[in-house]
Amino acid sequence: MEAKHLTPFIDAAAKVLQQYTQKEVQRGSITVKNNMNVDLDITSVVSFSGGIRGNVSYSLSVDTAARLLSYVNPNCLMKPFGTAARGLWARLVEEFLQKAAQLLLENGILIIPSVPTIVTGRQMIFVISSVQTIAVRIETLYGPVEVNIGLEE
Amino acid sequence: MASKMQLYDPFVKNTTDTMAMMAGIKAEVLSAFGSETHEFESLGITSVIHYTGKIRGRFLLDMEPGLALAATQNITGILFNNVRDSMVLATISEMNNIISGGAISALNNVYQLGLWLSPPYVFTGHSCLIALPKMQSASVDCMTQYGRLKINVAFERGE
């Protein structure tokens, strides 16, 4: 997997989160996973096709979601990760992908993202790629968001 | 343009055919397609694949753990007892790829939709709730001797 294909998905999420929270966010180091065990409660997966094909997921805990989303929209305070929070998280993830698509297009790569699927649960394990998955944590003031990227090459 | 029912049918046919041919498991369709709410609980192991073209959408294959284990055992010839095993997850994911590939080919041949598949993903966990905001979907329930199977299909207009 080439860095120029991966970094737009991470940079895009960091920029959108920073824009909405109006606080600095920090990117952790990149790790390679053969199995994608998710110890966070909420995962949103988006598929994309076009110049590159694959899946990208964004995961966070219920506590992080409550803090982050209620800052972005105070209506999400009323019910932890209820319908309003899910809709807002889906919208944010769509914005991550729009931004990533824009960054990739600047490098001459066109992608077509899907609508996000949101999965909540405990002790989840995902396989988003038949090869390797690249993982990065983005630290926000409200808690970490884990990004996993699986590209088919 | 085809009706949604005409778009859904190849997914059901390819699911029952693939389940029979690959895994030797007969899946009996219990009902006609019914509208799904925006969220539903996973039966145990779920694989999802997205497609895009003149229209875009998503196919979801959801099954009980016993069925996933039996299908994997029948396909690979190896006994598994944990759906979290990577071979079980990979097998269900590949089944989804084959089912969707067949369905998409049929739809492209008949309706010239120019659909392309994204790579599938698969997951399992405890009390998994699946939500797909912004997309209406419909489901068919199936029964096999090893457990239940749900086929869920969604389409929306492309760009």
Side-chain angles (χ1 to χ4, degrees):
Chain A
M1 284 190 248
E2 293 184 54
K4 69 175 182 181
H5 295 156
L6 299 172
T7 50
F9 295 100
I10 303 156
D11 290 348
K15 281 178 183 166
V16 172
L17 287 169
Q18 190 163 317
Q19 177 194 328
Y20 274 99
T21 60
Q22 298 174 322
K23 303 281 191 314
E24 281 294 315
V25 301
Q26 292 190 325
R27 271 170 287 180
S29 55
I30 290 178
T31 55
V32 179
K33 291 178 172 180
N34 287 320
N35 274 326
M36 187 180 145
N37 292 297
V38 180
D39 55 3
L40 301 164
D41 319 289
I42 301 161
T43 294
S44 189
V45 191
V46 180
S47 300
F48 48 89
S49 55
I52 52 173
R53 300 167 69 241
N55 296 303
V56 58
S57 72
Y58 299 91
S59 304
L60 70 178
S61 70
V62 167
D63 289 343
T64 300
R67 288 193 294 264
L68 175 69
L69 299 177
S70 63
Y71 178 81
V72 175
N73 180 353
N75 288 335
C76 293
L77 262 178
M78 293 187 296
K79 195 178 175 188
F81 215 65
T83 308
R86 272 198 298 276
L88 180 56
W89 179 236
R91 202 183 85 206
L92 285 179
V93 171
E94 280 187 306
E95 287 195 34
F96 298 165
L97 265 292
Q98 283 168 10
K99 186 76 182 168
Q102 183 190 332
L103 295 172
L104 284 162
L105 195 57
E106 287 169 9
N107 285 325
I109 301 162
L110 173 72
I111 63 161
I112 305 156
S114 72
V115 172
T117 300
I118 298 173
V119 185
T120 58
R122 290 177 291 109
Q123 295 176 311
M124 292 189 287
I125 180 167
F126 284 76
V127 177
I128 63 168
S129 169
S130 57
V131 280
Q132 286 172 324
T133 303
I134 301 295
V136 178
R137 279 207 167 197
I138 298 174
E139 299 290 342
T140 77
L141 186 67
Y142 307 99
V145 175
E146 185 176 301
V147 186
N148 285 277
I149 308 162
L151 295 179
E152 301 285 315
E153 291 180 303
Chain B
M1 177 60 73
S3 73
K4 280 202 169 173
M5 282 305 153
Q6 288 169 307
L7 299 177
Y8 293 163
D9 284 341
F11 289 95
V12 179
K13 181 179 185 316
N14 275 275
T15 301
T16 53
D17 287 356
T18 304
M19 198 54 92
M21 283 188 291
M22 278 183 77
I25 294 173
K26 184 178 181 340
E28 185 187 352
V29 178
L30 296 179
S31 60
F33 268 103
S35 289
E36 199 67 70
T37 55
H38 284 300
E39 65 179 40
F40 55 90
E41 194 167 348
S42 167
L43 293 173
I45 179 166
T46 308
S47 178
V48 182
I49 197 161
H50 288 263
Y51 34 85
T52 188
K54 288 182 184 169
I55 51 178
R56 63 179 188 168
R58 182 219 59 205
F59 172 67
L60 185 149
L61 189 65
D62 186 30
M63 63 186 76
E64 289 186 328
L67 176 56
L69 292 171
T72 306
Q73 184 182 339
N74 290 356
I75 291 166
T76 64
I78 303 167
L79 181 65
F80 294 94
N81 55 20
N82 187 348
V83 287
R84 299 172 75 86
D85 190 292
S86 59
M87 181 61 85
V88 178
L89 294 168
T91 301
I92 301 307
S93 193
E94 186 52 30
M95 275 187 98
N96 190 349
N97 208 17
I98 291 166
I99 292 165
S100 300
I104 291 302
S105 295
L107 291 173
N108 283 342
N109 287 341
V110 176
Y111 303 112
Q112 286 80 47
L113 294 173
L115 298 173
W116 287 87
L117 292 175
S118 297
Y121 57 89
V122 61
F123 59 87
T124 187
H126 296 293
S127 309
C128 286
L129 201 63
I130 304 158
L132 192 86
K134 296 184 173 182
M135 204 182 263
Q136 286 284 343
S137 70
S139 290
V140 159
D141 292 315
C142 301
M143 181 56 83
T144 74
Q145 69 180 111
Y146 302 103
R148 288 184 294 158
L149 170 74
K150 178 182 271 196
I151 298 166
N152 178 267
V153 188
F155 276 99
E156 65 167 11
R157 288 218 173 270
E159 299 302 320

